[in-house]
Amino acid sequence: MATKRQTLEFLLEQGLVFVQLDPRDEGVVVPDHLRSQLPLGLNLSRNFHLETFEIDDEGVRASLSFKGVRSICVLPWSAVFLMSADDKTYVFEESFPKELAAALKAQMGRGAPGKSDLAPPDPPPPEPPPPRPRPQLRLVK
């Protein structure tokens, strides 16, 4: 099983990564107005050319912009519970906030959420392309 670090590094190769975390978790550093926002969703990308963007065994440290103001953010792995890029979403149940799990359970009206409950549904198959018109020959003078 891949670690959260390996998963993030893999997804960053694809481009933009949406990360959800619990900002109340110990060690999380984000602007004060975001500390009570559960879940907190942040976009990460190597293409942002951030002054600080470090990934190590402890978590992520990045200079992110909120309403035009740069802030150093610290995101320990223990706080991160979801990562998503393109059509790939990874949920880390061991870090999933209990409040969100209870809300999902109540909303779904059944047992505690499992992997299939938290993962996005498979997209419908693409529609076949419209039929092409028959080619016609024309006389050009």
Side-chain angles (χ1 to χ4, degrees), residues 39-117:
L40 175 60
L42 301 174
N43 289 319
L44 301 175
S45 175
R46 295 196 194 281
N47 295 329
F48 288 167
H49 304 291
L50 303 173
E51 294 171 12
T52 303
F53 191 46
E54 302 165 359
I55 301 170
D56 61 24
D57 290 339
E58 302 299 315
V60 179
R61 188 170 190 273
S63 57
L64 302 176
S65 179
F66 302 94
K67 298 181 182 178
V69 178
R70 288 258 180 214
S71 298
I72 294 291
C73 297
V74 179
L75 316 174
W77 294 124
S78 61
V80 176
F81 62 87
L82 183 140
M83 294 181 207
S84 180
D86 293 327
D87 61 345
K88 298 171 188 73
T89 299
Y90 298 88
V91 176
F92 302 92
E93 293 181 45
E94 70 277 6
S95 301
F96 204 84
K98 290 180 172 87
E99 299 93 329
L100 289 180
L104 280 174
K105 179 181 176 182
Q107 185 178 19
M108 293 178 185
R110 52 188 166 105
K115 290 183 181 179
S116 61
D117 297 326

